[in-house]
């Protein structure tokens, strides 16, 4: 288990599963995944991989994979072409906390977010969304350009 004692853990006590870190590295370095959805496993007190999307999956498939009424963390590898016709990629960290999710879940995800995000090196942008319009593809496009 990836739990370490210290002041960073006293707020949430949440660890990060080794599989979560290795899956993120596969997305970041090897482009094995288009996205990763993470959830907090309360009994184990760690962040685990819930789902991955293959490199050809669309943004619509990614957003459809997020629960309507529960919180999640997600990482999305956004590919785009610049005005100079260069292929680029930016990694987005998305904190998904829909309005209809439980208060306890919102608090747990909010207090664990920074600790988890620190484990994922190379994040370019962060988006906090409480409904799908706050993370439309246009939002990513605006942030990345």
């Amino acid at each position: 288990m990836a739990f370490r004692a210290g002041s960073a853990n006293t707020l949430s006590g949440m660890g990060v599963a080794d599989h979560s870190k290795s899956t993120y590295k596969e997305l970041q370095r090897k482009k094995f995944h288009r996205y990763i959805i993470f959830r907090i496993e309360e009994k184990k007190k760690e962040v685990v991989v819930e789902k991955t999307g293959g490199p050809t999956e669309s943004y619509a498939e990614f957003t459809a994979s997020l629960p309507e009424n529960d919180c999640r963390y997600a990482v999305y590898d956004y590919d785009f072409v610049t005005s100079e016709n260069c292929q680029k990629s930016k990694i987005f960290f998305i904190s998904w906390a829909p309005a209809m999710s439980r208060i306890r879940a919102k608090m747990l995800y909010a207090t664990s977010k920074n600790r988890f995000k620190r484990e994922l090196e190379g994040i370019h942008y962060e988006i906090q969304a409480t409904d799908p319009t706050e993370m439309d593809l246009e939002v990513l496009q605006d942030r990345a350009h």
Side-chain angles (χ1 to χ4, degrees), residues 78-82 86-90 92 125 141 144-145:
Y78 175 63
D79 291 332
F80 63 99
V81 178
T82 66
C86 294
Q87 186 70 37
K88 294 270 187 171
S89 175
K90 297 289 181 188
F92 282 81
Y125 301 104
Q141 291 167 339
H145 291 291

Side-chain angles (χ1 to χ4, degrees), residues 89-112:
S89 175
K90 297 289 181 188
I91 297 174
F92 282 81
F93 179 87
I94 299 168
S95 181
W96 173 243
M100 57 184 103
S101 55
R102 297 180 346 263
I103 300 276
R104 176 175 163 70
K106 289 180 193 177
M107 289 176 62
L108 183 62
Y109 277 78
T111 57
S112 304

